[in-house]
Amino acid sequence: TGLLNILNVFFFFYGEPSAYGVLLLADGDRMGELLDEAQDKNSHKEITSALSDFAGGVADIMRDYDGHCVYAGGDDVLGFVPLHQAYDCAKALSIAFKNSLESISKRLKAAQSPTLSVGLAIAHHMTPLSVVREYASQAEKYAKGDHIIDPNKRRNALGILLDVRSGNQTKLRFGWDQADAHQAFNEWVNLYLHKQIPSRIAYDTRAIDLQTKNITKDPEIQKGIQSAELTRMLAKARLATGGSINKEHINKLVKRSESINLQLLSDELIVARWFAAKTQQDLGKDGQ
């Protein structure tokens, strides 16, 4: 009771922490190909040393993002990260891993330097840990991209699985080299953070997609209809202050929908909203 009273003081001033957290699971890509290029003992030692250096620094990297490393061995990483720090932590780990192996990869003239695929499982704190661990495994496999037809677009990616307690799941995947996708996603997160878009537009976007998906067999006409409906919805949407969404933001959202599709845009917006949440209040009823 004493601890709860102390916590309630913090909750009053800073808000109740989000009930959702992130389990991060990462694994190196194309390590087998690099090892095949190592024809002598020294090369194997150099690879082992590089992996050891990376693993030795994982705990510090995760701590920089208020996370906690559970396991780091070679090219395998498992740990917990706060919701609003998870994306940046995953990116930092991927950069550190690539940098650790780049020198030996160049020396051995490997076709591609090893990269790190990272899975992030977002789940409610009441979800059994064994289930969250399975979600993290699914997110990592999604990042690996074996479901993608083009082999050149597999691996070197971030996979996200959001499990909302109401029963809905959303998956996202961004290749670490997809600069446009990462820029757009970070923009949605910042728009939520600064209350410049309302939370409901993510679900309204999904509704438009479902309502217009098979409206015509002509893809260009359908895209035009969907863009018009999305523009209309965004223009009518109101912020918590009662104001309208900035036209520049509307244009960026519509342009993004045209470059991917409405379903993917709605998925990006839904996950971005969770990453923008620092307190339970930020998620409202959806995060209960």
Side-chain angles (χ1 to χ4, degrees), residues 9 20 61 69 90 95 106 120 132-133 149 152 173 175 190 213 225 240 273 280 283:
V9 174
Y20 285 76
I61 293 174
C69 176
I95 293 172
K106 287 180 179 179
L120 299 177
V132 181
R133 177 64 177 78
I149 296 175
N152 294 318
R173 182 183 185 276
N190 285 322
K213 192 179 286 288
I225 292 172
R273 184 186 169 212
Q280 189 59 27
L283 292 175

Side-chain angles (χ1 to χ4, degrees), residues 31-61:
M31 284 302 303
E33 296 173 20
L34 179 63
L35 289 168
D36 287 342
E37 298 294 333
Q39 301 297 318
D40 56 68
K41 186 184 294 185
N42 287 335
S43 295
H44 277 279
K45 283 185 176 180
E46 195 171 342
I47 293 172
T48 301
S49 177
L51 288 172
S52 179
D53 288 345
F54 165 73
V58 166
D60 287 338
I61 293 174

Side-chain angles (χ1 to χ4, degrees), residues 142 160 162 169-174 185 188 192 201-203 205-206 209 260-275:
Y142 198 60
I160 304 168
L162 166 64
Q169 282 194 349
T170 303
K171 278 185 177 180
L172 273 185
R173 182 183 185 276
F174 300 123
F185 183 72
W188 311 153
Y192 279 124
I201 67 167
Y203 300 99
T205 300
R206 178 172 284 178
D209 177 56
I260 46 176
N261 57 56
L262 280 181
Q263 180 182 339
L264 288 176
L265 176 62
S266 69
D267 290 345
E268 286 185 3
L269 289 169
I270 289 169
V271 176
R273 184 186 169 212
W274 250 258
F275 276 133

Side-chain angles (χ1 to χ4, degrees), residues 236-255:
K236 289 177 63 177
R238 289 295 175 265
L239 305 175
T241 58
S244 304
I245 301 175
N246 187 294
K247 287 185 178 180
E248 181 184 350
H249 303 329
I250 292 177
N251 291 337
K252 287 182 179 180
L253 287 161
V254 173
K255 185 177 180 181

Side-chain angles (χ1 to χ4, degrees), residues 36-254:
D36 287 342
E37 298 294 333
Q39 301 297 318
D40 56 68
K41 186 184 294 185
N42 287 335
S43 295
H44 277 279
K45 283 185 176 180
E46 195 171 342
I47 293 172
T48 301
S49 177
L51 288 172
S52 179
D53 288 345
F54 165 73
V58 166
D60 287 338
I61 293 174
M62 297 194 74
R63 204 173 291 119
D64 287 341
Y65 297 92
D66 299 324
H68 176 74
C69 176
V70 175
Y71 174 79
D75 60 342
D76 294 315
V77 177
L78 178 69
F80 292 98
V81 200
L83 196 54
H84 66 288
Q85 297 268 45
Y87 175 89
D88 289 335
C89 182
K91 186 175 181 180
L93 287 171
S94 74
I95 293 172
F97 183 82
K98 188 173 182 179
N99 289 343
S100 295
L101 276 298
E102 205 160 36
S103 177
I104 179 63
S105 297
K106 287 180 179 179
R107 191 177 74 75
L108 295 178
K109 298 180 180 179
Q112 287 181 286
S113 179
T115 52
L116 192 72
S117 286
V118 184
L120 299 177
I122 306 170
H124 194 275
H125 71 87
M126 293 295 287
T127 306
L129 186 56
S130 60
V131 176
V132 181
R133 177 64 177 78
E134 173 57 29
Y135 290 161
S137 179
Q138 291 178 28
E140 185 206 342
K141 288 177 182 176
Y142 198 60
K144 291 285 187 182
D146 288 332
H147 62 284
I148 297 174
I149 296 175
D150 186 351
N152 294 318
K153 294 182 179 180
R154 298 172 189 163
R155 311 294 185 266
N156 189 30
L158 171 67
I160 304 168
L161 188 154
L162 166 64
D163 181 73
V164 180
R165 209 179 183 196
S166 62
N168 297 320
Q169 282 194 349
T170 303
K171 278 185 177 180
L172 273 185
R173 182 183 185 276
F174 300 123
W176 287 120
D177 56 357
Q178 291 180 285
D180 290 349
H182 288 280
Q183 182 178 349
F185 183 72
N186 279 298
E187 185 140 13
W188 311 153
V189 172
N190 285 322
L191 289 178
Y192 279 124
L193 279 170
H194 296 99
K195 314 296 183 186
Q196 293 176 316
I197 54 174
S199 60
R200 64 169 294 166
I201 67 167
Y203 300 99
D204 288 344
T205 300
R206 178 172 284 178
I208 292 172
D209 177 56
L210 293 172
Q211 293 164 6
T212 61
K213 192 179 286 288
N214 299 310
I215 202 166
T216 175
K217 292 183 179 180
D218 189 314
E220 289 304 314
I221 293 177
Q222 178 165 309
K223 181 183 285 188
I225 292 172
Q226 290 185 324
S227 294
E229 284 297 303
L230 179 62
T231 303
R232 183 180 65 84
M233 180 273 287
L234 293 171
K236 289 177 63 177
R238 289 295 175 265
L239 305 175
T241 58
S244 304
I245 301 175
N246 187 294
K247 287 185 178 180
E248 181 184 350
H249 303 329
I250 292 177
N251 291 337
K252 287 182 179 180
L253 287 161
V254 173

